[in-house]
Amino acid sequence: MALSASTYSHDRKWWKEAVIYQIYPSSFYDSNGDGVGDIPGIVEKLPYLVSLGVDCIWLSPHYASPQIDMGYDISNYQDIYPPYGTLEQTQELIDACHAYNLKIIFDLVINHTSSEHTWFKESRSSKTNPKRDWYFWKSPRGWKGGKPLAPNNWGSIFSGPAWEFDEATQQFYLHLFATEMPDLNWENAETRKAIYETSMHFWLKRGIDGFRVDVANKYSKNIAFPDAEIINPNVYEQPNSKLHYNGPRMHEYLSEIYEVLSQYRAFDGGEIMTVGELPNTPLESDVRAYVSAAKKQLGMVFHFDTVSLGLGKTPGNRTLLQPYTAKDVKRTLAKWQSFVNGTDSWTTVFLENHDEGRSISRFGNDKTEELRTRSGKLLAMVLATMTGTLFLYQGQEIGMINMPVSWNLSEYKDVWVVNILKQLVKNGANKERMDQVLNALQMVARDHARTPMQWDESPHAGFCGEKATPWMRVNDNYPKINVINESAKSDSLLNFWKRMIGLRKEYKDIFVYGTFTLVDTDDDIFAFIKEGEDGKRATTVANMSSKAVPWKPSSRLLLSNVPAGNDTDTLQSWEARIYFN
């Protein structure tokens, strides 16, 4: 039974129809044999991206940085991390993308800087420095045993306290991420002006087509800095997201950003796009305040309901895995599809990025090669037929999966993981808790998305030269899962993704802009109807389980992820179909 949905005609925009491919620079392609991916390597692989059918690339942070958090700690917005290349090479990338009729967006990381940024160095130099107020500095709330007490009990997102004491000036500064990533004070208009000039105007003048906006709801904080509610009585530092997400001036700041961006156009005359990262905002009404076209703030945002399934539900306990089912997956996906029905809002379609485990390992089945490919195709069919802007992450198109469970923890590089393990040792965690964390990391650690791209069967998967040492270990399965192998097989996941992207563009009135209606089905089946303004309809049905389930065929079968001609009354394990009325 189909559930009713209202129809709304959405304005046509290039960024709504685009398939956007995220590139993680360090792990994409190393052109000079030093073991680190680079900008020239991306230029070299642009023909591959064109052949895939994507329209735009999103380049994760490539700016000058000490790399405490893989480039999200920026020391200079107007320069490049040397192992990645130079400013001139980055301009060559922008120009090359446009020559291939590809657009390019950059990461906009403006909640914080690196502690190595000249702004922060000036700010911490003295209490009277003109940039002192560009960051958050607070005196101790008191002293205990000769040690200063932090201004409040906030914990950082990367574990440990959110305040660091500066001996020279005898005050604390706020860092909601790593210690080396101090938060900028957006209350200061001069600070905001400098942010806009260096991180936005500078790159927009060089021709980029938009931004992915990092933690786009975090700049406005509760500047009274009250103590957070005590959730975990065993430690001093407490989760505090309600006090620094979606703050009172957040929409004011985003309106200012919109005004900056509206002064520019994309290379072919279209508007500059924005897609915001919007964590800790579960209510549709709150999200709509950010993405309603009438509000003129963000074009769309990433919602994390689906990719957060299985993570600990208690604040601060992300590494306590919780069970979830196919029913939960389809519920969360459907939530943000229905969100756009009858509104002027837009949404995103994705299951992977640089912060998440691999989608086949999490939402498909990677136990055998056949199931990996079939469930990967199922996920491709579901994503490519959904309303919204489709985002792919590097390696997703060839079915890259999580790091092997046999790997030692030393293979994990992410600062979040390193800090968690340090904190567990500091707090005297027992073996049971350590095993819980290891089990969680094997599924949801950010490192899974960061292993080098698997190009071919040569040493290091063709990511770098044979004599080089990759900055991060290549997944052991690269002799089987790589671009060359996938390209050679007509029934591969890579070639299936190419077909799905082509199909999405051919029927964009239905798949990109169509109205979504969820079909009431068995818990393991995710089925939905997409209807265009002309009344043409398509039905996607996906068996998200390892068991066969009954399904009565309807209309004309357009595509299945199992051998051609299968249109029986039974859906095989991980089988998906698309029907046209």
Side-chain angles (χ1 to χ4, degrees), residues 95 155 204 349 449 463 550:
D95 296 339
L204 289 164
V349 181
F463 162 72

Side-chain angles (χ1 to χ4, degrees), residues 24 31 34 83 164 175 293 306 313 322 392 401 452 509:
Y24 202 66
S31 69
D34 64 357
E164 178 72 7
H175 61 91
T306 305
K313 298 185 183 303
Q322 304 293 321
L392 289 181
I401 60 177
D509 290 348

Side-chain angles (χ1 to χ4, degrees), residues 2 66 83 140 210 422 424 524 528 537-538 560:
K422 286 181 179 178
L424 287 170
D524 290 324
F528 55 89
R537 290 152 51 111
S560 171

Side-chain angles (χ1 to χ4, degrees), residues 439-498:
N439 181 51
L441 294 177
Q442 289 171 337
M443 182 59 66
V444 301
R446 303 195 302 178
D447 295 271
H448 295 300
R450 302 174 181 187
T451 57
M453 181 72 177
Q454 295 164 206
W455 294 103
D456 58 39
E457 298 179 4
S458 67
H460 312 314
F463 162 72
C464 59
E466 295 185 14
K467 295 182 179 180
T469 300
W471 77 275
M472 188 177 188
R473 182 174 172 180
V474 179
N475 198 310
D476 299 341
N477 59 29
Y478 75 85
K480 289 185 177 180
I481 304 174
N482 62 68
V483 170
I484 295 298
N485 283 355
E486 290 281 312
S487 298
K489 295 185 295 184
S490 61
D491 63 346
S492 70
L493 178 56
L494 173 60
N495 284 317
F496 193 84
W497 259 115
K498 291 180 180 180

Side-chain angles (χ1 to χ4, degrees), residues 540-561:
T540 299
V541 54
N543 174 17
M544 305 183 76
S545 76
S546 295
K547 64 183 181 181
V549 293
W551 177 262
K552 185 177 181 180
S554 64
S555 309
R556 173 174 64 92
L557 179 66
L558 178 67
L559 186 64
S560 171
N561 65 337

Side-chain angles (χ1 to χ4, degrees), residues 87-372:
L87 190 59
E88 292 73 22
Q89 289 171 328
T90 305
Q91 185 65 56
E92 290 172 5
L93 172 62
I94 296 170
D95 296 339
C97 283
H98 294 164
Y100 280 110
N101 202 33
L102 293 170
K103 293 186 174 68
I104 180 169
I105 66 172
F106 285 178
D107 239 291
L108 187 62
V109 186
I110 48 179
N111 171 73
H112 50 266
T113 68
S114 164
S115 56
E116 294 301 309
H117 198 293
T118 56
W119 296 347
F120 186 72
K121 289 181 177 180
E122 290 183 47
S123 181
R124 78 184 308 173
S125 65
S126 74
K127 291 181 179 179
T128 59
N129 186 276
K131 288 188 173 60
R132 185 67 171 185
D133 193 40
W134 284 36
Y135 296 84
F136 293 104
W137 291 94
K138 295 289 179 184
S139 296
R141 63 164 49 175
W143 295 77
K144 185 176 182 180
K147 295 183 178 181
L149 299 176
N152 61 29
N153 66 348
W154 291 10
S156 78
I157 293 168
F158 286 167
S159 189
W163 296 93
E164 178 72 7
F165 189 65
D166 178 65
E167 291 286 351
T169 59
Q170 294 289 288
Q171 284 191 320
F172 286 90
Y173 67 85
L174 179 69
H175 61 91
L176 290 171
F177 291 96
T179 304
E180 300 88 349
M181 300 163 67
D183 283 57
L184 287 159
N185 178 10
W186 276 69
E187 299 284 328
N188 187 321
E190 185 181 1
T191 307
R192 300 201 302 277
K193 182 179 179 181
I195 291 170
Y196 302 155
E197 185 60 41
T198 59
S199 67
M200 298 179 209
H201 284 295
F202 180 82
W203 289 108
L204 289 164
K205 289 175 182 176
R206 286 180 169 267
I208 69 167
D209 303 290
F211 292 102
R212 176 265 189 185
V213 187
D214 189 55
V215 287
N217 56 346
K218 202 178 181 70
Y219 317 147
S220 176
K221 302 166 174 63
N222 184 334
I223 58 173
F225 296 108
D227 273 343
E229 176 186 0
I230 296 178
I231 302 296
N232 184 355
N234 296 320
V235 296
Y236 178 71
E237 296 85 14
Q238 299 296 313
N240 46 78
S241 60
K242 293 180 180 179
L243 300 172
H244 58 77
Y245 282 107
N246 306 308
R249 299 186 66 184
M250 198 61 249
H251 295 291
E252 173 191 344
Y253 298 153
L254 288 175
S255 294
E256 286 187 6
I257 290 174
Y258 181 90
E259 288 299 316
V260 172
L261 303 183
S262 65
Q263 300 172 39
Y264 299 87
R265 305 297 290 178
F267 87 96
D268 60 356
E271 69 182 23
I272 297 297
M273 72 156 278
T274 53
V275 54
E277 182 187 31
L278 204 75
N280 293 292
T281 314
L283 298 180
E284 291 97 323
S285 58
D286 292 337
V287 174
R288 204 174 308 287
Y290 287 93
V291 298
S292 166
K295 298 289 187 181
K296 296 184 177 182
Q297 293 184 22
L298 294 169
M300 53 191 160
V301 295
F302 291 121
H303 318 281
F304 297 100
D305 296 34
T306 305
V307 294
S308 294
L309 287 172
L311 302 182
K313 298 185 183 303
T314 304
N317 283 326
R318 180 182 169 95
T319 53
L320 289 177
L321 292 185
Q322 304 293 321
Y324 64 92
T325 65
K327 183 177 181 180
D328 297 318
V329 176
K330 67 181 185 179
R331 170 183 54 80
T332 54
L333 288 173
K335 173 182 177 181
W336 297 110
Q337 287 290 286
S338 301
F339 169 78
V340 302
N341 286 343
T343 75
D344 68 344
S345 301
W346 197 243
T347 192
T348 55
V349 181
F350 75 102
L351 282 179
E352 291 193 23
N353 62 37
H354 61 290
D355 283 336
E356 312 298 338
R358 290 290 184 174
S359 58
I360 292 176
S361 297
R362 295 202 58 207
F363 307 112
N365 190 319
D366 63 5
K367 302 306 178 186
T368 69
E369 180 64 15
E370 179 183 3
L371 289 175
R372 181 192 69 85

Side-chain angles (χ1 to χ4, degrees), residues 506-526:
E506 181 180 357
Y507 297 102
K508 68 180 180 181
D509 290 348
I510 298 174
F511 294 140
V512 176
Y513 293 108
T515 299
F516 174 92
T517 303
L518 182 66
V519 178
D520 189 10
T521 63
D522 178 279
D523 284 353
D524 290 324
I525 298 177
F526 183 26

